[in-house]
PDB file of all heavy atoms in Angstrom:
ATOM      1  N   THR B   5      23.691  25.714  36.021  1.00 97.00           N
ATOM      2  CA  THR B   5      23.721  24.928  37.252  1.00 97.00           C
ATOM      3  C   THR B   5      22.537  23.985  37.266  1.00 97.00           C
ATOM      4  O   THR B   5      21.387  24.423  37.152  1.00 97.00           O
ATOM      5  CB  THR B   5      23.658  25.841  38.486  1.00 97.00           C
ATOM      6  OG1 THR B   5      24.730  26.778  38.426  1.00 97.00           O
ATOM      7  CG2 THR B   5      23.781  25.015  39.756  1.00 97.00           C
ATOM      8  N   GLN B  14      11.210   6.042  42.740  1.00 97.00           N
ATOM      9  CA  GLN B  14      10.535   4.763  42.528  1.00 97.00           C
ATOM     10  C   GLN B  14       9.815   4.832  41.188  1.00 97.00           C
ATOM     11  O   GLN B  14       9.386   5.907  40.749  1.00 97.00           O
ATOM     12  CB  GLN B  14       9.500   4.528  43.632  1.00 97.00           C
ATOM     13  CG  GLN B  14      10.091   4.279  44.994  1.00 97.00           C
ATOM     14  CD  GLN B  14      10.283   2.783  45.252  1.00 97.00           C
ATOM     15  OE1 GLN B  14      10.495   2.008  44.323  1.00 97.00           O
ATOM     16  NE2 GLN B  14      10.201   2.383  46.512  1.00 97.00           N
ATOM     17  N   SER B  20      10.857  16.504  39.065  1.00 98.00           N
ATOM     18  CA  SER B  20      11.399  17.498  38.136  1.00 98.00           C
ATOM     19  C   SER B  20      12.875  17.716  38.369  1.00 98.00           C
ATOM     20  O   SER B  20      13.343  17.695  39.509  1.00 98.00           O
ATOM     21  CB  SER B  20      10.669  18.842  38.311  1.00 98.00           C
ATOM     22  OG  SER B  20       9.314  18.729  37.991  1.00 98.00           O
ATOM     23  N   LEU B  21      13.594  17.933  37.275  1.00 98.00           N
ATOM     24  CA  LEU B  21      15.003  18.313  37.320  1.00 98.00           C
ATOM     25  C   LEU B  21      15.098  19.793  36.961  1.00 98.00           C
ATOM     26  O   LEU B  21      14.369  20.268  36.085  1.00 98.00           O
ATOM     27  CB  LEU B  21      15.821  17.496  36.318  1.00 98.00           C
ATOM     28  CG  LEU B  21      15.599  15.988  36.286  1.00 98.00           C
ATOM     29  CD1 LEU B  21      16.539  15.344  35.273  1.00 98.00           C
ATOM     30  CD2 LEU B  21      15.774  15.395  37.650  1.00 98.00           C
ATOM     31  N   ASN B  22      16.023  20.481  37.619  1.00 98.00           N
ATOM     32  CA  ASN B  22      16.143  21.925  37.418  1.00 98.00           C
ATOM     33  C   ASN B  22      17.445  22.297  36.703  1.00 98.00           C
ATOM     34  O   ASN B  22      18.488  21.678  36.932  1.00 98.00           O
ATOM     35  CB  ASN B  22      16.108  22.639  38.768  1.00 98.00           C
ATOM     36  CG  ASN B  22      16.283  24.137  38.631  1.00 98.00           C
ATOM     37  OD1 ASN B  22      17.368  24.672  38.810  1.00 98.00           O
ATOM     38  ND2 ASN B  22      15.214  24.822  38.266  1.00 98.00           N
ATOM     39  N   VAL B  27      23.041  33.817  30.980  1.00 91.00           N
ATOM     40  CA  VAL B  27      23.660  33.901  29.657  1.00 91.00           C
ATOM     41  C   VAL B  27      23.412  35.290  29.101  1.00 91.00           C
ATOM     42  O   VAL B  27      22.352  35.881  29.311  1.00 91.00           O
ATOM     43  CB  VAL B  27      23.100  32.800  28.721  1.00 91.00           C
ATOM     44  CG1 VAL B  27      21.619  32.981  28.485  1.00 91.00           C
ATOM     45  CG2 VAL B  27      23.862  32.732  27.414  1.00 91.00           C
ATOM     46  N   GLY B  29      22.212  36.824  26.514  1.00 91.00           N
ATOM     47  CA  GLY B  29      21.399  36.660  25.316  1.00 91.00           C
ATOM     48  C   GLY B  29      21.247  35.196  24.964  1.00 91.00           C
ATOM     49  O   GLY B  29      22.143  34.581  24.417  1.00 91.00           O
ATOM     50  N   ARG B  31      20.237  32.058  22.988  1.00 92.00           N
ATOM     51  CA  ARG B  31      19.857  31.618  21.644  1.00 92.00           C
ATOM     52  C   ARG B  31      19.008  30.354  21.757  1.00 92.00           C
ATOM     53  O   ARG B  31      18.029  30.191  21.044  1.00 92.00           O
ATOM     54  CB  ARG B  31      21.094  31.340  20.821  1.00 92.00           C
ATOM     55  CG  ARG B  31      20.823  30.912  19.388  1.00 92.00           C
ATOM     56  CD  ARG B  31      22.110  30.893  18.610  1.00 92.00           C
ATOM     57  NE  ARG B  31      21.903  30.501  17.236  1.00 92.00           N
ATOM     58  CZ  ARG B  31      22.719  30.832  16.252  1.00 92.00           C
ATOM     59  NH1 ARG B  31      23.787  31.567  16.499  1.00 92.00           N
ATOM     60  NH2 ARG B  31      22.490  30.437  15.019  1.00 92.00           N
ATOM     61  N   PRO B  44      25.939  11.957  24.444  1.00 96.00           N
ATOM     62  CA  PRO B  44      24.623  12.541  24.760  1.00 96.00           C
ATOM     63  C   PRO B  44      23.641  12.385  23.605  1.00 96.00           C
ATOM     64  O   PRO B  44      24.006  12.557  22.436  1.00 96.00           O
ATOM     65  CB  PRO B  44      24.949  14.016  25.018  1.00 96.00           C
ATOM     66  CG  PRO B  44      26.392  14.037  25.403  1.00 96.00           C
ATOM     67  CD  PRO B  44      27.014  12.942  24.591  1.00 96.00           C
ATOM     68  N   LEU B  47      17.338  15.607  23.326  1.00 96.00           N
ATOM     69  CA  LEU B  47      15.933  15.496  23.709  1.00 96.00           C
ATOM     70  C   LEU B  47      15.123  16.693  23.208  1.00 96.00           C
ATOM     71  O   LEU B  47      14.163  16.529  22.462  1.00 96.00           O
ATOM     72  CB  LEU B  47      15.812  15.413  25.235  1.00 96.00           C
ATOM     73  CG  LEU B  47      16.361  14.160  25.915  1.00 96.00           C
ATOM     74  CD1 LEU B  47      16.306  14.309  27.423  1.00 96.00           C
ATOM     75  CD2 LEU B  47      15.595  12.921  25.472  1.00 96.00           C
ATOM     76  N   PHE B  48      15.472  17.898  23.669  1.00 94.00           N
ATOM     77  CA  PHE B  48      14.666  19.086  23.384  1.00 94.00           C
ATOM     78  C   PHE B  48      15.545  20.320  23.163  1.00 94.00           C
ATOM     79  O   PHE B  48      16.617  20.421  23.742  1.00 94.00           O
ATOM     80  CB  PHE B  48      13.750  19.437  24.571  1.00 94.00           C
ATOM     81  CG  PHE B  48      12.837  18.353  25.020  1.00 94.00           C
ATOM     82  CD1 PHE B  48      13.049  17.714  26.235  1.00 94.00           C
ATOM     83  CD2 PHE B  48      11.744  17.970  24.253  1.00 94.00           C
ATOM     84  CE1 PHE B  48      12.203  16.720  26.674  1.00 94.00           C
ATOM     85  CE2 PHE B  48      10.898  16.974  24.678  1.00 94.00           C
ATOM     86  CZ  PHE B  48      11.120  16.345  25.894  1.00 94.00           C
ATOM     87  N   LYS B  63       8.753  16.293  29.822  1.00 98.00           N
ATOM     88  CA  LYS B  63       8.252  17.598  29.414  1.00 98.00           C
ATOM     89  C   LYS B  63       9.246  18.653  29.874  1.00 98.00           C
ATOM     90  O   LYS B  63       9.597  18.695  31.057  1.00 98.00           O
ATOM     91  CB  LYS B  63       6.885  17.875  30.030  1.00 98.00           C
ATOM     92  CG  LYS B  63       6.298  19.236  29.670  1.00 98.00           C
ATOM     93  CD  LYS B  63       4.951  19.390  30.344  1.00 98.00           C
ATOM     94  CE  LYS B  63       4.342  20.741  30.118  1.00 98.00           C
ATOM     95  NZ  LYS B  63       3.012  20.856  30.781  1.00 98.00           N
ATOM     96  N   THR B  67      11.816  29.313  31.554  1.00 95.00           N
ATOM     97  CA  THR B  67      11.554  30.683  31.972  1.00 95.00           C
ATOM     98  C   THR B  67      12.800  31.490  31.641  1.00 95.00           C
ATOM     99  O   THR B  67      13.753  30.973  31.068  1.00 95.00           O
ATOM    100  CB  THR B  67      11.265  30.774  33.484  1.00 95.00           C
ATOM    101  OG1 THR B  67      12.485  30.559  34.209  1.00 95.00           O
ATOM    102  CG2 THR B  67      10.221  29.754  33.916  1.00 95.00           C
ATOM    103  N   GLU B  70      15.425  29.790  34.269  1.00 97.00           N
ATOM    104  CA  GLU B  70      15.625  28.368  34.499  1.00 97.00           C
ATOM    105  C   GLU B  70      14.747  27.529  33.581  1.00 97.00           C
ATOM    106  O   GLU B  70      13.794  28.026  32.961  1.00 97.00           O
ATOM    107  CB  GLU B  70      15.347  28.014  35.960  1.00 97.00           C
ATOM    108  CG  GLU B  70      13.976  28.371  36.459  1.00 97.00           C
ATOM    109  CD  GLU B  70      13.863  28.242  37.976  1.00 97.00           C
ATOM    110  OE1 GLU B  70      14.781  27.709  38.637  1.00 97.00           O
ATOM    111  OE2 GLU B  70      12.829  28.675  38.501  1.00 97.00           O
ATOM    112  N   PHE B  72      12.963  23.466  33.486  1.00 98.00           N
ATOM    113  CA  PHE B  72      12.649  22.250  34.228  1.00 98.00           C
ATOM    114  C   PHE B  72      12.427  21.118  33.239  1.00 98.00           C
ATOM    115  O   PHE B  72      11.841  21.302  32.169  1.00 98.00           O
ATOM    116  CB  PHE B  72      11.379  22.434  35.073  1.00 98.00           C
ATOM    117  CG  PHE B  72      11.569  23.357  36.233  1.00 98.00           C
ATOM    118  CD1 PHE B  72      11.250  24.700  36.120  1.00 98.00           C
ATOM    119  CD2 PHE B  72      12.067  22.889  37.439  1.00 98.00           C
ATOM    120  CE1 PHE B  72      11.423  25.573  37.187  1.00 98.00           C
ATOM    121  CE2 PHE B  72      12.246  23.745  38.510  1.00 98.00           C
ATOM    122  CZ  PHE B  72      11.926  25.088  38.378  1.00 98.00           C
ATOM    123  N   ALA B  77       5.572   9.698  35.841  1.00 97.00           N
ATOM    124  CA  ALA B  77       5.485   8.237  35.966  1.00 97.00           C
ATOM    125  C   ALA B  77       6.693   7.548  35.341  1.00 97.00           C
ATOM    126  O   ALA B  77       6.565   6.763  34.384  1.00 97.00           O
ATOM    127  CB  ALA B  77       4.189   7.729  35.349  1.00 97.00           C
ATOM    128  N   PRO B  78       7.899   7.851  35.853  1.00 97.00           N
ATOM    129  CA  PRO B  78       9.101   7.289  35.234  1.00 97.00           C
ATOM    130  C   PRO B  78       9.182   5.774  35.325  1.00 97.00           C
ATOM    131  O   PRO B  78       8.609   5.153  36.230  1.00 97.00           O
ATOM    132  CB  PRO B  78      10.238   7.947  36.030  1.00 97.00           C
ATOM    133  CG  PRO B  78       9.643   8.273  37.346  1.00 97.00           C
ATOM    134  CD  PRO B  78       8.213   8.638  37.060  1.00 97.00           C
ATOM    135  N   TYR B  86      20.941  13.370  32.849  1.00 98.00           N
ATOM    136  CA  TYR B  86      20.280  14.373  32.026  1.00 98.00           C
ATOM    137  C   TYR B  86      21.106  15.666  32.066  1.00 98.00           C
ATOM    138  O   TYR B  86      21.398  16.196  33.139  1.00 98.00           O
ATOM    139  CB  TYR B  86      18.845  14.603  32.501  1.00 98.00           C
ATOM    140  CG  TYR B  86      17.982  13.404  32.209  1.00 98.00           C
ATOM    141  CD1 TYR B  86      17.939  12.319  33.094  1.00 98.00           C
ATOM    142  CD2 TYR B  86      17.263  13.307  31.018  1.00 98.00           C
ATOM    143  CE1 TYR B  86      17.187  11.192  32.813  1.00 98.00           C
ATOM    144  CE2 TYR B  86      16.497  12.179  30.727  1.00 98.00           C
ATOM    145  CZ  TYR B  86      16.466  11.129  31.626  1.00 98.00           C
ATOM    146  OH  TYR B  86      15.736  10.011  31.324  1.00 98.00           O
ATOM    147  N   ALA B  89      22.133  22.443  28.573  1.00 96.00           N
ATOM    148  CA  ALA B  89      23.164  23.302  27.984  1.00 96.00           C
ATOM    149  C   ALA B  89      22.506  24.554  27.410  1.00 96.00           C
ATOM    150  O   ALA B  89      21.366  24.508  26.955  1.00 96.00           O
ATOM    151  CB  ALA B  89      23.919  22.568  26.877  1.00 96.00           C
TER     152      ALA B  89
END
Side-chain angles (χ1 to χ4, degrees):
Chain B
T5 304
Q14 291 268 29
S20 297
L21 313 182
N22 178 262
V27 63
R31 182 170 180 156
L47 293 174
F48 304 110
K63 179 180 176 179
T67 72
E70 57 191 351
F72 290 94
Y86 290 85

